[in-house]
Amino acid sequence: MPQEEVIITDPHKLLETFDSLHPTDIANSLKKIEKESVEDFFFVLKKVPDDILGEVILELPDNLREIAYEELSIKKLTDAVEELESDDQTDLILELEEIDQEKAKEIYDGLEEEDQKDIDWLKKYEEDEAGAYMQTELFSANLDETIGQSVKRLKEAKASDELENIHQVFVIDENRILIASILLEDLIIFDFEKTYDEILKSDDNKFKPFKVDDHEHIDNVAKNFEQYDLSVVAVTSYQGVLMGRITSDDILDVIEENATEQIYQLAGVNDEFEHEDKLTTTAKKRAFWLFLNLGTAILASLVIGIFDETIQAYVALAILMPIVASMGGNAGTQTLAVMVRQLALGDIELENAKDAVKKEVVISLLNGLLFAVIMGVIAWLWFDTKLLGLVIAMSMMINLFSAGFFGAAIPLILKRFDIDPAIGSTVLLTTVTDIVGFFSFLMLAKIILL
C-alpha cells in the first residue's frame, strides 16, 4: 500500500516525531504551520536535525526556502549542505547565491574540499544539461577488483552514510572509462572470489551500460527514463569517462517542472512569478497576456462591426454568434493541447507532422458535421427559419475545420522557428477561431438571409 502523507500542524508534536517522518512530510507540515504562524515555522525549522535539514529545505516552496535561507545561521546551513548529495548541494548553493552571495560564499568556504570540488564541477554545466542534474556519489568498481572486495567497500560506505539509493555497480577500467553496469540483485549471485573482468568475459553484452553524455539535454534524458523504464543512468564525458549518475527522483522533478511550465504557458501564466509574495508582480505578468487577448478581442469585434447592418436586420444572429465562436474555440483548444503535449513528448516530429495535421482536421470535420446538424436543427426550431439553421450549420463546419487545422498548425509553425509551442499558441488560436467564426457566420447570413 502507498504511504499516506502525514501532516502535523502542532509545532511541539512535530518536534517529537521528527525521527519517524520523511523530510517531505516535515516540509509539508512546515508549510501548514507557516500559514498559521511564521514564528512557529522558524521555531520548528531551527530544530530540524542537520542530517535532514537540507532535504526539508529543498522540499519547501520557493518563497519559504528564501526566508529559510535568510533566517538560518551560516553554521546551521553549512551543516545541512554537508549532509546533501552533490547535485542537491549545488542546487542549494546556487539558490543561496541568488539571494545572498556573501552568505553563500561563507557556507561554501565552510564545506570540505571534496564537496567544494564537486560543486565547482557541477556549476559549470548549463541548467538544462544532464551534468547539472547528476550526483557524483556512486558505487563503482575496477575490472581487476573482485566482487567481494567491492561489496566490502559498499558496506563500509553505507555504514558511514557516504552512499544511498544504490541500485548497481558501475564497472570501469584504469582510465575510469565506463565498461559495464551490473544490478546489485545480479551481483549477489556471482562468485565473490571472481573479478569483474572474469564475469564480463562470460557475457559482456548482458551488462552493457545505459549512459548519457554530460552535455545531453535533460529533456532527452527524461525521455530515455520513460522509454526504457530506468531508475538510474550513468553520466559520461565525450570520452566515455564516468562522471556521475542521474536517479529517477531527479527525472520526476524534471517531468513535473516541464508539465507545469506547459500548463502555465498555455494559460499565459509565468511559473516563476506565481510564487511571488507581491500580488502586484504576479498581476503585472498575467496582465501582459490579458493585454494581448484584449487586442485579439478587439479584432473580433471589428469583424462584427463590419456586419452591424446585418445584425440589426436579423437580431437572432446576435444570439447565435457566441455559439459558433465558443464551439470553434473549444475544438481548437482540444487540438492544441494534444499537439503541444505530443511535441513535448517527441511523439510528433516535424517530419511526420503532415499526418498529425490530417488526423486533427479529419476529427474536427467529423465533429463539425455532427454539431452542424445538431445546431442547424436547433436554430431552425428555435427561430422557425430553415435558412438560419443552414447558415449556422455551414458556419459551424467552417469554424471547426479552421479550429482543427490551425490548432495543429500553430504549434508546428512555432516549433519550426524554435519557439516553445506552448507560448502564445492559445492567443493566436483564439484570434483565428473568433475571427473565422464571426466572419463566416455573418457573411453567410448576409448572403443567404438578406
Side-chain angles (χ1 to χ4, degrees), residues 39 46 125 195 253 392 403 434:
E39 290 75 17
K46 291 176 181 179
Y125 292 101
T195 65
D253 290 339
I392 196 169
D434 282 353

Side-chain angles (χ1 to χ4, degrees), residues 165-317:
N165 199 21
I166 298 300
H167 300 272
Q168 70 270 93
V169 55
F170 296 112
V171 184
I172 55 177
D173 65 10
E174 66 276 8
N175 297 315
R176 286 195 60 81
I177 302 295
L178 181 62
I179 305 298
S181 174
I182 304 176
L183 292 172
L184 295 186
E185 61 188 44
D186 292 326
L187 192 66
I188 59 175
I189 65 174
F190 294 132
D191 183 350
F192 276 31
E193 297 299 319
K194 288 188 175 182
T195 65
Y196 283 95
D197 191 32
E198 292 175 310
I199 296 297
L200 294 178
K201 282 180 178 177
S202 63
D203 192 348
D204 56 349
N205 288 324
K206 182 179 179 181
F207 305 110
K208 186 177 180 180
F210 201 104
K211 57 186 178 181
V212 297
D213 184 80
D214 56 343
H215 293 292
E216 182 83 20
H217 197 289
I218 191 61
D219 287 348
N220 295 333
V221 179
K223 289 175 186 175
N224 287 331
F225 266 82
E226 291 180 292
Q227 185 174 355
Y228 297 103
D229 196 23
L230 303 174
S231 57
V232 178
V233 67
V235 181
T236 61
S237 69
Y238 72 97
Q239 296 173 323
V241 176
L242 181 63
M243 309 293 293
R245 60 175 181 152
I246 297 177
T247 54
S248 57
D249 59 322
D250 292 316
I251 294 301
L252 287 173
D253 290 339
V254 171
I255 294 171
E256 181 181 355
E257 288 169 8
N258 288 344
T260 301
E261 184 180 3
Q262 281 191 350
I263 292 170
Y264 279 153
Q265 287 177 343
L266 280 170
V269 176
N270 192 321
D271 181 27
E272 294 181 12
F273 295 92
E274 286 307 303
H275 303 292
E276 284 277 351
D277 287 333
K278 294 181 179 179
L279 298 180
T280 53
T281 303
T282 304
K284 285 178 181 178
K285 289 297 175 181
R286 292 192 188 184
F288 171 75
W289 289 102
L290 291 174
F291 179 78
L292 288 180
N293 192 67
L294 176 62
T296 63
I298 292 173
L299 286 176
S301 297
L302 290 174
V303 171
I304 296 173
I306 297 173
F307 299 96
D308 57 341
E309 294 180 359
T310 306
I311 296 173
Q312 289 175 17
Y314 225 98
V315 180
L317 298 176

Side-chain angles (χ1 to χ4, degrees), residues 392-438:
I392 196 169
M394 293 174 64
S395 179
M396 193 79 74
M397 284 289 295
I398 293 170
N399 204 22
L400 263 68
F401 165 77
S402 67
F405 177 77
F406 286 104
I410 288 173
L412 292 170
I413 293 170
L414 293 175
K415 183 77 171 178
R416 173 72 70 179
F417 289 98
D418 292 325
I419 301 173
D420 190 335
I423 299 176
S425 291
T426 304
V427 174
L428 292 173
L429 181 62
T430 301
T431 304
V432 171
T433 54
D434 282 353
I435 290 176
V436 171
F438 291 142

Side-chain angles (χ1 to χ4, degrees), residues 355-404:
D355 293 334
V357 174
K358 285 182 180 178
K359 175 186 175 183
E360 294 302 325
V361 168
V362 170
I363 291 173
S364 295
L365 283 174
L366 290 173
N367 281 328
L369 179 61
L370 171 63
F371 290 102
V373 172
I374 293 173
M375 198 58 225
V377 172
I378 290 174
W380 171 18
L381 298 176
W382 190 353
F383 297 99
D384 195 23
T385 306
K386 292 181 181 179
L387 290 180
L388 182 59
L390 176 63
V391 167
I392 196 169
M394 293 174 64
S395 179
M396 193 79 74
M397 284 289 295
I398 293 170
N399 204 22
L400 263 68
F401 165 77
S402 67

Side-chain angles (χ1 to χ4, degrees), residues 50-56 58 77 79-90 92 115 137:
D50 294 339
D51 59 336
I52 60 171
L53 177 58
E55 294 179 71
V56 170
L58 290 174
L77 285 170
D79 292 341
V81 172
E82 283 182 339
E83 297 293 332
L84 292 171
E85 294 177 333
S86 55
D87 57 335
D88 290 331
Q89 286 181 332
T90 307
L92 203 149
D115 290 333
E137 299 87 356

